[in-house]
Amino acid sequence: MPFSPEKAPSSLWILTDGKAGDVAQCRGVAEALGAPVEERHIAPRAPFTWLMPFGPIDLRERETRPGSPIAPPYPDIAIASGRRAVPYLRRVKRLSGGKTFTVFLKDPRMGPDAADLIWVPEHDKLRGRNVLVTPTSPHKFSAATLAELRSRQVAEIDGLPRPRVAVLVGGDSRHHRFSEDDQNRLLSGLRELAHAAHVHFMITASRRTPAGLAYGLAGLAKSGNHLYWTGDAPNPYGLYLAKADAIIATADSTNMIGEATATGKPVHVFEPSGGHDKITRFLGTLRRMGVIHPFPGPLKTTTYEPIDATPVIAQRILSDFSAARQTRNNAPMGQPGNANAGT
């Protein structure tokens, strides 16, 4: 990042309730910022959770309590994600005297005043002067990371004949259900592609993948020259992304599809039963950009400029952080600058 040391942050917090998707996005942005990072996990109880994101924080986690996730000293920048983290982020802003620059990833559900800077994906509707919008979500698979993974020698992957296709399978979620017909449709599409295009798959599933579908994917892998990750460490997900000639991903995870678009390789999306307007808008944007294609369907080979929201978000954070610091330094004595209201 083109910022001199005196303008760059020297400390950074990640503030979440530990949800994997939120943590992953925050970590990706934090890594791009390059500042020393502390991860602070909140664990509010009912009835406080019932009132969130509007607050207040759980009194058991106040800054004066032992083990508080928001105990000082306060960082230059705090990045949060998840509805429950909103009151804590606002409190950090107030307790720091307005000095901590606050960032919230995704819609905080209480408008643009929740943080100094808010990032949302394009399919969310929140807009404002301090709201940054990108087509896809932040993640940890930067161009440099993918290049390093691509250069690694991994015998079982490198030994697969080309074309190699990464198959990223999610599972049942709040908005999607993999019916028996859906599972059969996905498996049949994979078998047809393997037969017609002589494709070799690198398959990953998740904890949400229905047992029958996981069993079918494992059987498919055994039937030909394919790989199937069984869940043992280490996780080859990043290697599969980096070394794939194309990617198949299920539509239940916008994060997974966003990570796939960082490769610049064609992404084929399988849509199980269900859906949501936001996901439909997300897929529509990528379809108009020529990035994604329907699956089952023929294998595409057309590449595109990789899409990576992470450096865009990091650059905006650094720019706004530097401007906020300059404003605060230039403020008259007794007027430390504007700080968002806390709870």
Side-chain angles (χ1 to χ4, degrees):
M1 294 292 174
F3 277 79
S4 58
E6 65 272 13
K7 294 184 179 180
S10 60
S11 56
L12 174 65
W13 281 7
I14 290 174
L15 198 60
T16 72
D17 64 4
K19 183 180 176 183
D22 293 336
V23 173
Q25 290 185 354
C26 290
R27 284 176 178 171
V29 173
E31 184 175 325
L33 290 171
V37 180
E38 283 186 58
E39 292 195 18
R40 304 276 184 117
H41 287 179
I42 63 170
R45 308 158 298 170
F48 299 99
T49 54
W50 302 343
L51 302 174
M52 293 175 175
F54 299 97
I57 70 168
D58 189 328
L59 298 180
R60 183 187 59 174
E61 296 191 316
R62 288 176 66 89
E63 63 283 355
T64 55
R65 299 293 296 272
S68 168
I70 57 169
Y74 296 107
D76 286 339
I77 296 176
I79 303 175
S81 188
R83 171 179 64 87
R84 297 178 179 181
V86 174
Y88 292 82
L89 186 68
R90 287 166 58 81
R91 190 167 183 84
V92 166
K93 181 70 175 181
R94 184 173 69 80
L95 293 170
S96 70
K99 294 180 180 179
T100 295
F101 185 82
T102 56
V103 180
F104 195 83
L105 303 183
K106 295 188 296 192
D107 188 344
R109 304 186 193 178
M110 61 174 301
D113 291 336
D116 294 313
L117 177 65
I118 298 170
W119 164 82
V120 296
E122 192 172 296
H123 53 272
D124 277 350
K125 294 182 179 180
L126 181 68
R127 297 294 185 269
R129 59 170 183 75
N130 64 325
V131 179
L132 174 64
V133 181
T134 62
T136 60
S137 304
H139 52 74
K140 63 180 180 180
F141 295 107
S142 66
T145 296
L146 288 171
E148 190 277 325
L149 290 169
R150 200 173 295 118
S151 69
R152 286 189 199 176
Q153 294 184 354
V154 184
E156 69 170 0
I157 297 177
D158 298 336
L160 285 181
R162 298 193 117 112
R164 301 183 202 126
V165 175
V167 181
L168 316 177
V169 181
D172 294 339
S173 67
R174 186 169 45 165
H175 301 300
H176 289 94
R177 286 291 180 271
F178 283 73
S179 68
E180 186 173 342
D181 285 346
D182 292 330
Q183 296 176 40
N184 290 333
R185 185 162 54 93
L186 175 56
L187 290 168
S188 295
L190 293 172
R191 293 189 192 102
E192 174 62 25
L193 195 59
H195 174 75
H198 306 289
V199 164
H200 298 272
F201 298 124
M202 303 174 290
I203 306 169
T204 69
S206 79
R207 296 187 202 87
R208 296 185 291 108
T209 305
L213 178 55
Y215 181 81
L217 293 168
L220 170 64
K222 290 178 182 178
S223 70
N225 197 4
H226 311 293
L227 299 177
Y228 177 73
W229 182 53
T230 60
D232 297 330
N235 187 338
Y237 181 90
L239 288 165
Y240 286 2
L241 280 179
K243 290 177 177 283
D245 298 306
I247 297 164
I248 297 169
T250 57
D252 54 285
S253 173
T254 57
N255 281 351
M256 200 159 59
I257 294 171
E259 290 163 350
T261 66
T263 66
K265 301 298 175 65
V267 181
H268 305 72
V269 177
F270 176 83
E271 298 190 49
S273 299
H276 189 277
D277 288 346
K278 290 203 300 185
I279 296 174
T280 300
R281 290 195 297 270
F282 169 72
L283 296 177
T285 296
L286 295 181
R287 195 172 292 115
R288 288 190 295 273
M289 295 170 70
V291 172
I292 66 171
H293 314 278
F295 187 83
L299 184 69
K300 303 292 185 180
T301 58
T302 305
T303 58
Y304 51 89
E305 190 67 26
I307 301 171
D308 188 357
T310 312
V312 176
I313 297 169
Q315 182 69 30
R316 174 66 182 270
I317 291 171
L318 288 176
S319 177
D320 287 10
F321 166 75
S322 178
R325 174 177 279 183
Q326 187 66 35
T327 298
R328 192 168 61 247
N329 290 343
N330 291 339
M333 292 295 292
Q335 298 181 26
N338 183 40
N340 289 338
T343 55

